[in-house]
Amino acid sequence: MNNREETEEEAVEGNRPGERARQELFRTLTDDRVASDSSLTELAEAAGWPLPLAVRAIVPATPGEAQQLAGVMEDALVGMFAGRPCLLVPSPDPEVRVPLEHLLRGRFAAVGHAVPLRDTASSLRWALRLAALTPSRPGLEARAVFVDDHLSTLLLLQDEPLAHALAARWLRPLADLTPRQSERLEVTLLAWLEGGGAPEAAKALSVHPQTVRYRMRQLEKLFGTGLRDPRTRFELEMALRSRRLMAQVRRQHSRVTRRTARVIQADFTPLVVGRMARVNGL
């Protein structure tokens, strides 16, 4: 373990009584090796943390926020996972998350799905993946995101190189088209697959049904009889959805990066002007 990791772990552990026991309990719960019920019970008693039936993981935007959240969540268990301070909170009812949303209001955090204690690491891994896919919005736009709301996205993008391979494999007939032609046919095909027909696709795309029928005839020439095969339609929908999701993630990150740059520029410009004014004797 390097010095930075040691410092972060020391900050997470703190000096409160029983905190070392709580850290050991966190490590045991998030370890892929299965601990015995008796050892978990002993650790929980030493940590003063009653074992719940289910937990959720919380991944804060910054390391310092882990302790801040622990200060307002008395039942939170804090520890290090994949080099980041994270939290575990009891989740007695997976369908009830309003209290958690209230506590996280105004800050970015990724919240894992509710899992039995034996699957704690899974909740943490998916929360970390969601945090990586979701750019942190500063200020008033900051909000918590829940794995429960993004299950299909996480499933399709759990391995981006594989998602790219899926799209390349099934969308190969569109490869020789211009980018504009390819995009137009992709959105039409996805709307047709999702809606089940030309009228539904036309409504989703805000175009005339005859436009959709014309494009579908083009697609039938490109894909042949495959569009009538259920397995091919399923694979095509996954490929199109994953490609659309990857594009959305790129756009979100790009927008947040530009917005952050503008904020930095706004904060930096007066300082530069002030320095120039002093140099010029003003």
Side-chain angles (χ1 to χ4, degrees):
M1 183 181 295
N2 59 38
N3 292 336
R4 180 179 178 183
E5 289 174 337
E6 288 174 355
T7 302
E8 288 179 347
E9 186 157 351
E10 287 170 2
V12 168
E13 289 180 356
N15 297 312
R16 290 181 294 174
E19 195 60 36
R20 293 282 179 177
R22 292 168 75 89
Q23 278 292 302
E24 183 59 31
L25 177 60
F26 184 97
R27 281 191 287 265
T28 302
L29 288 172
T30 57
D31 197 320
D32 288 327
R33 293 170 294 185
V34 178
S36 66
D37 291 338
S38 59
S39 62
L40 277 178
T41 301
E42 289 177 7
L43 282 171
E45 289 176 353
W49 198 73
L51 292 174
L53 293 176
V55 293
R56 284 184 187 270
I58 300 177
V59 178
T62 61
E65 288 184 275
Q67 283 301 323
Q68 293 175 14
L69 287 172
V72 297
M73 298 178 178
E74 295 180 356
D75 55 355
L77 195 64
V78 188
M80 298 291 294
F81 187 82
R84 291 184 63 166
C86 303
L87 300 92
L88 301 176
V89 294
S91 183
D93 187 347
E95 300 301 321
V96 177
R97 68 187 205 193
V98 173
L100 193 53
E101 290 174 336
H102 178 73
L103 289 170
L104 294 172
R105 185 176 299 164
R107 68 173 78 227
F108 175 81
V111 184
H113 54 311
V115 295
L117 286 177
R118 299 291 182 186
D119 297 326
T120 299
S122 173
S123 186
L124 273 164
R125 289 190 187 102
W126 288 117
L128 283 165
R129 179 61 177 146
L130 182 58
L133 289 172
T134 310
S136 175
R137 294 176 171 83
L140 297 176
E141 294 186 9
R143 61 182 180 84
V145 289
F146 286 74
V147 165
D148 296 322
D149 299 331
H150 301 276
L151 292 171
S152 59
T153 297
L154 290 165
L155 181 63
L156 286 171
L157 300 187
Q158 62 179 307
D159 189 313
E160 288 193 40
L162 194 62
H164 281 292
L166 176 73
R169 161 70 177 82
W170 288 99
L171 302 179
R172 190 174 297 134
L174 304 176
D176 293 332
L177 303 178
T178 67
R180 184 178 178 182
Q181 290 173 327
S182 177
E183 181 181 4
R184 186 166 55 222
L185 292 183
E186 281 185 29
V187 297
T188 301
L189 180 55
L190 182 56
W192 180 79
L193 290 166
E194 291 177 334
E200 294 81 5
K203 185 177 180 180
L205 298 174
S206 299
V207 298
H208 195 278
Q210 195 59 32
T211 301
V212 173
R213 294 189 183 97
Y214 170 74
R215 293 177 186 175
M216 288 306 303
R217 286 194 293 271
Q218 291 180 291
L219 286 162
E220 286 170 0
K221 290 179 182 178
L222 291 167
F223 287 92
T225 58
L227 292 181
R228 294 194 291 270
D229 176 59
R231 178 178 178 271
T232 299
R233 289 200 299 267
F234 175 72
E235 297 278 0
L236 280 170
E237 186 170 356
M238 283 203 304
L240 289 164
R241 282 176 175 267
S242 62
R243 178 172 282 188
R244 182 175 66 180
L245 288 169
M246 287 186 287
Q248 287 174 350
V249 169
R250 287 195 299 270
R251 285 195 298 270
Q252 288 173 358
H253 280 282
S254 178
R255 281 197 297 267
V256 170
T257 300
R258 289 197 301 270
R259 190 180 300 119
T260 302
R262 286 197 297 269
V263 171
I264 293 173
Q265 181 66 27
D267 289 341
F268 180 73
T269 301
L271 179 61
V272 174
V273 171
R275 286 177 176 170
M276 290 174 65
R278 285 194 294 272
V279 169
N280 290 318
L282 298 177

